[in-house]
mmCIF file of all heavy atoms in Angstrom:
data_model
loop_
_atom_site.group_PDB
_atom_site.id
_atom_site.type_symbol
_atom_site.label_atom_id
_atom_site.label_comp_id
_atom_site.label_asym_id
_atom_site.label_seq_id
_atom_site.Cartn_x
_atom_site.Cartn_y
_atom_site.Cartn_z
ATOM 1 N N VAL X 4 124.738 84.283 -5.392
ATOM 2 C CA VAL X 4 123.929 84.681 -4.203
ATOM 3 C C VAL X 4 124.431 83.961 -2.971
ATOM 4 O O VAL X 4 124.527 84.567 -1.893
ATOM 5 C CB VAL X 4 122.432 84.382 -4.489
ATOM 6 C CG1 VAL X 4 121.642 84.458 -3.256
ATOM 7 C CG2 VAL X 4 121.892 85.248 -5.579
ATOM 8 N N SER X 5 124.746 82.627 -3.103
ATOM 9 C CA SER X 5 125.064 81.921 -1.908
ATOM 10 C C SER X 5 126.479 82.424 -1.347
ATOM 11 O O SER X 5 126.629 82.519 -0.097
ATOM 12 C CB SER X 5 125.313 80.445 -2.243
ATOM 13 O OG SER X 5 126.211 80.194 -3.198
ATOM 14 N N VAL X 6 127.441 82.774 -2.230
ATOM 15 C CA VAL X 6 128.666 83.326 -1.706
ATOM 16 C C VAL X 6 128.548 84.699 -1.108
ATOM 17 O O VAL X 6 129.085 84.919 -0.023
ATOM 18 C CB VAL X 6 129.729 83.372 -2.852
ATOM 19 C CG1 VAL X 6 130.980 84.043 -2.436
ATOM 20 C CG2 VAL X 6 130.064 81.965 -3.434
ATOM 21 N N LEU X 7 127.754 85.544 -1.802
ATOM 22 C CA LEU X 7 127.504 86.886 -1.167
ATOM 23 C C LEU X 7 126.812 86.821 0.184
ATOM 24 O O LEU X 7 127.090 87.566 1.111
ATOM 25 C CB LEU X 7 126.718 87.782 -2.097
ATOM 26 C CG LEU X 7 127.440 88.301 -3.352
ATOM 27 C CD1 LEU X 7 126.406 88.881 -4.377
ATOM 28 C CD2 LEU X 7 128.540 89.225 -2.984
ATOM 29 N N MET X 8 125.873 85.832 0.241
ATOM 30 C CA MET X 8 125.178 85.593 1.584
ATOM 31 C C MET X 8 126.165 85.194 2.694
ATOM 32 O O MET X 8 126.040 85.572 3.838
ATOM 33 C CB MET X 8 124.068 84.721 1.416
ATOM 34 C CG MET X 8 122.887 85.200 0.668
ATOM 35 S SD MET X 8 121.928 86.418 1.532
ATOM 36 C CE MET X 8 121.137 85.377 2.733
ATOM 37 N N GLY X 9 127.166 84.416 2.198
ATOM 38 C CA GLY X 9 128.170 83.896 3.205
ATOM 39 C C GLY X 9 128.997 85.118 3.838
ATOM 40 O O GLY X 9 129.311 85.014 4.981
ATOM 41 N N PHE X 10 129.149 86.187 3.108
ATOM 42 C CA PHE X 10 129.856 87.315 3.604
ATOM 43 C C PHE X 10 129.062 88.098 4.626
ATOM 44 O O PHE X 10 129.621 88.948 5.384
ATOM 45 C CB PHE X 10 130.245 88.338 2.496
ATOM 46 C CG PHE X 10 131.483 87.957 1.757
ATOM 47 C CD1 PHE X 10 131.361 87.328 0.450
ATOM 48 C CD2 PHE X 10 132.739 88.137 2.241
ATOM 49 C CE1 PHE X 10 132.533 86.971 -0.229
ATOM 50 C CE2 PHE X 10 133.876 87.801 1.610
ATOM 51 C CZ PHE X 10 133.787 87.224 0.365
ATOM 52 N N ALA X 11 127.753 87.805 4.757
ATOM 53 C CA ALA X 11 126.864 88.549 5.686
ATOM 54 C C ALA X 11 127.289 88.420 7.134
ATOM 55 O O ALA X 11 127.078 89.346 7.938
ATOM 56 C CB ALA X 11 125.438 88.087 5.542
ATOM 57 N N VAL X 12 127.949 87.301 7.511
ATOM 58 C CA VAL X 12 128.306 87.101 8.916
ATOM 59 C C VAL X 12 129.763 87.274 9.165
ATOM 60 O O VAL X 12 130.228 87.104 10.354
ATOM 61 C CB VAL X 12 127.917 85.673 9.331
ATOM 62 C CG1 VAL X 12 126.461 85.407 9.292
ATOM 63 C CG2 VAL X 12 128.577 84.595 8.389
ATOM 64 N N VAL X 13 130.566 87.692 8.207
ATOM 65 C CA VAL X 13 131.931 87.915 8.406
ATOM 66 C C VAL X 13 132.222 89.293 9.094
ATOM 67 O O VAL X 13 131.815 90.356 8.481
ATOM 68 C CB VAL X 13 132.738 87.936 6.998
ATOM 69 C CG1 VAL X 13 134.252 88.193 7.246
ATOM 70 C CG2 VAL X 13 132.608 86.502 6.420
ATOM 71 N N PRO X 14 132.782 89.286 10.255
ATOM 72 C CA PRO X 14 133.170 90.626 10.861
ATOM 73 C C PRO X 14 134.466 91.197 10.386
ATOM 74 O O PRO X 14 135.496 90.700 10.654
ATOM 75 C CB PRO X 14 133.250 90.302 12.300
ATOM 76 C CG PRO X 14 133.666 88.859 12.409
ATOM 77 C CD PRO X 14 133.260 88.185 11.032
ATOM 78 N N PHE X 15 134.300 92.305 9.597
ATOM 79 C CA PHE X 15 135.493 92.898 8.988
ATOM 80 C C PHE X 15 136.327 93.805 9.990
ATOM 81 O O PHE X 15 137.497 93.936 9.804
ATOM 82 C CB PHE X 15 135.213 93.728 7.752
ATOM 83 C CG PHE X 15 134.378 92.989 6.695
ATOM 84 C CD1 PHE X 15 133.016 93.145 6.562
ATOM 85 C CD2 PHE X 15 135.027 92.102 5.902
ATOM 86 C CE1 PHE X 15 132.276 92.409 5.622
ATOM 87 C CE2 PHE X 15 134.341 91.375 4.895
ATOM 88 C CZ PHE X 15 132.919 91.553 4.765
ATOM 89 N N ALA X 16 135.615 94.272 10.972
ATOM 90 C CA ALA X 16 136.213 95.152 11.973
ATOM 91 C C ALA X 16 135.156 95.243 13.113
ATOM 92 O O ALA X 16 133.988 94.850 12.882
ATOM 93 C CB ALA X 16 136.514 96.537 11.396
ATOM 94 N N PRO X 17 135.531 95.774 14.303
ATOM 95 C CA PRO X 17 134.515 95.910 15.311
ATOM 96 C C PRO X 17 133.281 96.722 14.885
ATOM 97 O O PRO X 17 133.425 97.928 14.432
ATOM 98 C CB PRO X 17 135.276 96.633 16.451
ATOM 99 C CG PRO X 17 136.774 96.326 16.171
ATOM 100 C CD PRO X 17 136.896 96.229 14.705
ATOM 101 N N GLY X 18 132.148 96.040 14.877
ATOM 102 C CA GLY X 18 130.883 96.775 14.470
ATOM 103 C C GLY X 18 130.639 96.807 12.984
ATOM 104 O O GLY X 18 129.618 97.201 12.545
ATOM 105 N N VAL X 19 131.633 96.400 12.174
ATOM 106 C CA VAL X 19 131.507 96.346 10.685
ATOM 107 C C VAL X 19 131.174 94.956 10.269
ATOM 108 O O VAL X 19 132.057 94.120 9.887
ATOM 109 C CB VAL X 19 132.761 96.841 9.988
ATOM 110 C CG1 VAL X 19 132.550 96.920 8.475
ATOM 111 C CG2 VAL X 19 133.170 98.199 10.544
ATOM 112 N N VAL X 20 129.842 94.623 10.371
ATOM 113 C CA VAL X 20 129.378 93.299 9.972
ATOM 114 C C VAL X 20 127.991 93.378 9.526
ATOM 115 O O VAL X 20 127.237 94.255 10.129
ATOM 116 C CB VAL X 20 129.528 92.269 11.107
ATOM 117 C CG1 VAL X 20 128.834 92.701 12.316
ATOM 118 C CG2 VAL X 20 129.079 90.875 10.664
ATOM 119 N N VAL X 21 127.537 92.750 8.444
ATOM 120 C CA VAL X 21 126.152 92.851 7.970
ATOM 121 C C VAL X 21 125.148 92.317 8.938
ATOM 122 O O VAL X 21 124.207 92.890 9.274
ATOM 123 C CB VAL X 21 126.069 92.199 6.583
ATOM 124 C CG1 VAL X 21 124.598 92.221 6.069
ATOM 125 C CG2 VAL X 21 126.952 92.929 5.545
ATOM 126 N N ALA X 22 125.447 91.061 9.430
ATOM 127 C CA ALA X 22 124.574 90.407 10.291
ATOM 128 C C ALA X 22 125.391 89.663 11.354
ATOM 129 O O ALA X 22 126.051 88.677 11.094
ATOM 130 C CB ALA X 22 123.641 89.390 9.585
ATOM 131 N N ASP X 23 125.421 90.175 12.615
ATOM 132 C CA ASP X 23 126.236 89.562 13.706
ATOM 133 C C ASP X 23 125.394 88.461 14.379
ATOM 134 O O ASP X 23 124.942 88.623 15.471
ATOM 135 C CB ASP X 23 126.610 90.658 14.685
ATOM 136 C CG ASP X 23 127.726 90.207 15.611
ATOM 137 O OD1 ASP X 23 128.451 89.239 15.241
ATOM 138 O OD2 ASP X 23 127.939 90.868 16.676
ATOM 139 N N LEU X 24 125.267 87.310 13.682
ATOM 140 C CA LEU X 24 124.418 86.213 14.131
ATOM 141 C C LEU X 24 125.072 85.388 15.264
ATOM 142 O O LEU X 24 126.355 85.195 15.157
ATOM 143 C CB LEU X 24 123.999 85.324 13.001
ATOM 144 C CG LEU X 24 123.319 85.973 11.822
ATOM 145 C CD1 LEU X 24 123.027 84.935 10.792
ATOM 146 C CD2 LEU X 24 122.024 86.589 12.266
ATOM 147 N N ASN X 25 124.391 84.902 16.191
ATOM 148 C CA ASN X 25 124.880 83.991 17.244
ATOM 149 C C ASN X 25 125.255 82.600 16.551
ATOM 150 O O ASN X 25 125.985 81.847 17.227
ATOM 151 C CB ASN X 25 123.877 83.801 18.392
ATOM 152 C CG ASN X 25 123.779 85.051 19.219
ATOM 153 O OD1 ASN X 25 124.829 85.790 19.347
ATOM 154 N ND2 ASN X 25 122.660 85.297 19.732
ATOM 155 N N VAL X 26 124.674 82.322 15.468
ATOM 156 C CA VAL X 26 124.965 81.042 14.803
ATOM 157 C C VAL X 26 125.693 81.351 13.523
ATOM 158 O O VAL X 26 125.497 80.739 12.468
ATOM 159 C CB VAL X 26 123.609 80.317 14.488
ATOM 160 C CG1 VAL X 26 123.109 79.687 15.786
ATOM 161 C CG2 VAL X 26 122.625 81.055 13.763
ATOM 162 N N GLY X 27 126.654 82.285 13.542
ATOM 163 C CA GLY X 27 127.377 82.731 12.321
ATOM 164 C C GLY X 27 128.055 81.602 11.569
ATOM 165 O O GLY X 27 128.006 81.546 10.334
ATOM 166 N N ILE X 28 128.759 80.712 12.310
ATOM 167 C CA ILE X 28 129.449 79.580 11.642
ATOM 168 C C ILE X 28 128.516 78.671 10.920
ATOM 169 O O ILE X 28 128.698 78.201 9.820
ATOM 170 C CB ILE X 28 130.322 78.828 12.645
ATOM 171 C CG1 ILE X 28 131.597 79.632 13.002
ATOM 172 C CG2 ILE X 28 130.663 77.436 12.101
ATOM 173 C CD1 ILE X 28 132.444 78.869 13.897
ATOM 174 N N LEU X 29 127.381 78.406 11.551
ATOM 175 C CA LEU X 29 126.298 77.528 10.933
ATOM 176 C C LEU X 29 125.804 78.192 9.694
ATOM 177 O O LEU X 29 125.532 77.462 8.670
ATOM 178 C CB LEU X 29 125.230 77.140 11.909
ATOM 179 C CG LEU X 29 125.610 76.395 13.261
ATOM 180 C CD1 LEU X 29 124.400 76.132 14.097
ATOM 181 C CD2 LEU X 29 126.316 75.101 12.812
ATOM 182 N N PHE X 30 125.502 79.504 9.720
ATOM 183 C CA PHE X 30 125.031 80.200 8.598
ATOM 184 C C PHE X 30 125.982 80.201 7.453
ATOM 185 O O PHE X 30 125.663 79.889 6.269
ATOM 186 C CB PHE X 30 124.751 81.709 8.991
ATOM 187 C CG PHE X 30 124.090 82.421 7.828
ATOM 188 C CD1 PHE X 30 122.749 82.485 7.648
ATOM 189 C CD2 PHE X 30 124.906 83.228 6.977
ATOM 190 C CE1 PHE X 30 122.189 83.199 6.618
ATOM 191 C CE2 PHE X 30 124.360 83.944 5.953
ATOM 192 C CZ PHE X 30 122.938 83.956 5.759
ATOM 193 N N PHE X 31 127.315 80.348 7.759
ATOM 194 C CA PHE X 31 128.378 80.191 6.757
ATOM 195 C C PHE X 31 128.448 78.847 6.093
ATOM 196 O O PHE X 31 128.483 78.696 4.817
ATOM 197 C CB PHE X 31 129.746 80.560 7.344
ATOM 198 C CG PHE X 31 130.928 80.048 6.625
ATOM 199 C CD1 PHE X 31 131.278 80.584 5.440
ATOM 200 C CD2 PHE X 31 131.655 78.882 7.023
ATOM 201 C CE1 PHE X 31 132.408 80.079 4.658
ATOM 202 C CE2 PHE X 31 132.676 78.394 6.354
ATOM 203 C CZ PHE X 31 133.089 78.979 5.187
ATOM 204 N N LEU X 32 128.320 77.842 6.921
ATOM 205 C CA LEU X 32 128.315 76.425 6.334
ATOM 206 C C LEU X 32 127.160 76.143 5.534
ATOM 207 O O LEU X 32 127.208 75.517 4.467
ATOM 208 C CB LEU X 32 128.377 75.407 7.499
ATOM 209 C CG LEU X 32 129.757 75.363 8.283
ATOM 210 C CD1 LEU X 32 129.613 74.447 9.489
ATOM 211 C CD2 LEU X 32 130.863 74.915 7.431
ATOM 212 N N ALA X 33 125.971 76.682 5.884
ATOM 213 C CA ALA X 33 124.797 76.536 5.155
ATOM 214 C C ALA X 33 124.897 77.226 3.758
ATOM 215 O O ALA X 33 124.526 76.634 2.749
ATOM 216 C CB ALA X 33 123.538 77.072 5.938
ATOM 217 N N MET X 34 125.402 78.429 3.732
ATOM 218 C CA MET X 34 125.542 79.138 2.485
ATOM 219 C C MET X 34 126.550 78.561 1.557
ATOM 220 O O MET X 34 126.367 78.430 0.341
ATOM 221 C CB MET X 34 125.910 80.619 2.730
ATOM 222 C CG MET X 34 124.764 81.438 3.383
ATOM 223 S SD MET X 34 123.253 81.445 2.383
ATOM 224 C CE MET X 34 122.183 80.350 3.295
ATOM 225 N N SER X 35 127.673 78.076 2.163
ATOM 226 C CA SER X 35 128.741 77.418 1.315
ATOM 227 C C SER X 35 128.279 76.173 0.712
ATOM 228 O O SER X 35 128.582 75.834 -0.444
ATOM 229 C CB SER X 35 130.021 77.238 2.096
ATOM 230 O OG SER X 35 129.819 76.393 3.138
ATOM 231 N N SER X 36 127.445 75.465 1.402
ATOM 232 C CA SER X 36 126.925 74.116 0.894
ATOM 233 C C SER X 36 125.901 74.409 -0.252
ATOM 234 O O SER X 36 125.684 73.542 -1.092
ATOM 235 C CB SER X 36 126.286 73.320 1.984
ATOM 236 O OG SER X 36 125.195 74.018 2.582
ATOM 237 N N MET X 37 125.225 75.561 -0.245
ATOM 238 C CA MET X 37 124.241 75.856 -1.321
ATOM 239 C C MET X 37 124.957 76.026 -2.657
ATOM 240 O O MET X 37 124.353 75.826 -3.704
ATOM 241 C CB MET X 37 123.601 77.215 -1.015
ATOM 242 C CG MET X 37 122.592 77.168 0.165
ATOM 243 S SD MET X 37 121.103 76.282 -0.283
ATOM 244 C CE MET X 37 120.366 77.549 -1.415
ATOM 245 N N GLY X 38 126.278 76.283 -2.658
ATOM 246 C CA GLY X 38 127.007 76.506 -3.889
ATOM 247 C C GLY X 38 127.034 75.157 -4.692
ATOM 248 O O GLY X 38 127.171 75.125 -5.904
ATOM 249 N N ALA X 39 126.857 74.015 -4.022
ATOM 250 C CA ALA X 39 126.868 72.740 -4.735
ATOM 251 C C ALA X 39 125.717 72.667 -5.703
ATOM 252 O O ALA X 39 125.776 72.054 -6.804
ATOM 253 C CB ALA X 39 126.886 71.544 -3.745
ATOM 254 N N TYR X 40 124.551 73.252 -5.320
ATOM 255 C CA TYR X 40 123.361 73.223 -6.194
ATOM 256 C C TYR X 40 123.636 73.923 -7.468
ATOM 257 O O TYR X 40 123.156 73.529 -8.503
ATOM 258 C CB TYR X 40 122.233 73.937 -5.510
ATOM 259 C CG TYR X 40 121.614 73.121 -4.362
ATOM 260 C CD1 TYR X 40 121.828 73.368 -3.011
ATOM 261 C CD2 TYR X 40 120.692 72.071 -4.699
ATOM 262 C CE1 TYR X 40 121.315 72.551 -2.033
ATOM 263 C CE2 TYR X 40 120.110 71.357 -3.680
ATOM 264 C CZ TYR X 40 120.418 71.596 -2.351
ATOM 265 O OH TYR X 40 119.878 70.813 -1.390
ATOM 266 N N SER X 41 124.460 74.990 -7.485
ATOM 267 C CA SER X 41 124.720 75.642 -8.726
ATOM 268 C C SER X 41 125.423 74.767 -9.728
ATOM 269 O O SER X 41 125.121 74.797 -10.924
ATOM 270 C CB SER X 41 125.672 76.875 -8.423
ATOM 271 O OG SER X 41 126.098 77.537 -9.580
ATOM 272 N N ILE X 42 126.445 74.059 -9.234
ATOM 273 C CA ILE X 42 127.128 73.117 -10.080
ATOM 274 C C ILE X 42 126.310 72.015 -10.634
ATOM 275 O O ILE X 42 126.302 71.696 -11.824
ATOM 276 C CB ILE X 42 128.427 72.529 -9.378
ATOM 277 C CG1 ILE X 42 129.464 73.692 -9.179
ATOM 278 C CG2 ILE X 42 129.037 71.388 -10.135
ATOM 279 C CD1 ILE X 42 130.670 73.228 -8.402
ATOM 280 N N ILE X 43 125.566 71.434 -9.723
ATOM 281 C CA ILE X 43 124.660 70.270 -10.114
ATOM 282 C C ILE X 43 123.641 70.738 -11.149
ATOM 283 O O ILE X 43 123.436 70.071 -12.111
ATOM 284 C CB ILE X 43 123.939 69.709 -8.863
ATOM 285 C CG1 ILE X 43 125.048 69.115 -7.892
ATOM 286 C CG2 ILE X 43 122.975 68.630 -9.268
ATOM 287 C CD1 ILE X 43 124.511 68.832 -6.489
ATOM 288 N N LEU X 44 122.934 71.864 -10.835
ATOM 289 C CA LEU X 44 121.908 72.387 -11.670
ATOM 290 C C LEU X 44 122.505 72.773 -13.052
ATOM 291 O O LEU X 44 121.920 72.466 -14.105
ATOM 292 C CB LEU X 44 121.159 73.527 -11.074
ATOM 293 C CG LEU X 44 120.359 73.217 -9.822
ATOM 294 C CD1 LEU X 44 119.809 74.503 -9.276
ATOM 295 C CD2 LEU X 44 119.257 72.266 -10.203
ATOM 296 N N GLY X 45 123.668 73.424 -13.039
ATOM 297 C CA GLY X 45 124.262 73.880 -14.292
ATOM 298 C C GLY X 45 124.642 72.748 -15.183
ATOM 299 O O GLY X 45 124.401 72.688 -16.400
ATOM 300 N N GLY X 46 125.277 71.693 -14.608
ATOM 301 C CA GLY X 46 125.676 70.490 -15.359
ATOM 302 C C GLY X 46 124.528 69.731 -15.895
ATOM 303 O O GLY X 46 124.478 69.204 -17.057
ATOM 304 N N TRP X 47 123.510 69.532 -15.043
ATOM 305 C CA TRP X 47 122.294 68.744 -15.392
ATOM 306 C C TRP X 47 121.540 69.445 -16.504
ATOM 307 O O TRP X 47 121.095 68.870 -17.531
ATOM 308 C CB TRP X 47 121.419 68.530 -14.211
ATOM 309 C CG TRP X 47 120.192 67.778 -14.465
ATOM 310 C CD1 TRP X 47 118.946 68.276 -14.740
ATOM 311 C CD2 TRP X 47 120.061 66.373 -14.589
ATOM 312 N NE1 TRP X 47 118.023 67.295 -15.011
ATOM 313 C CE2 TRP X 47 118.632 66.051 -14.945
ATOM 314 C CE3 TRP X 47 120.923 65.290 -14.469
ATOM 315 C CZ2 TRP X 47 118.201 64.801 -15.135
ATOM 316 C CZ3 TRP X 47 120.448 63.979 -14.676
ATOM 317 C CH2 TRP X 47 119.118 63.746 -15.033
ATOM 318 N N ALA X 48 121.289 70.795 -16.299
ATOM 319 C CA ALA X 48 120.463 71.531 -17.264
ATOM 320 C C ALA X 48 121.144 71.652 -18.632
ATOM 321 O O ALA X 48 120.501 71.891 -19.645
ATOM 322 C CB ALA X 48 120.117 72.919 -16.722
#
């Protein structure tokens, strides 16, 4: 889910973007950092 959400702000071509956010880079960093939870939860559980 976190990786797929990261693609939401990637502009593939002019007008071809899921969410053209003004804080696109911050959204990408937030989603990529969520991936760490997957590893921690999987290893702990």
Side-chain angles (χ1 to χ4, degrees):
V4 171
S5 63
V6 173
L7 287 172
M8 288 291 286
F10 278 102
V12 293
V13 177
F15 303 104
V19 184
V20 58
V21 174
D23 196 18
L24 302 179
N25 288 330
V26 289
I28 282 184
L29 298 180
F30 184 85
F31 158 73
L32 290 173
M34 290 302 106
S35 63
S36 62
M37 288 287 288
Y40 284 100
S41 175
I42 290 178
I43 297 164
L44 293 175
W47 178 265

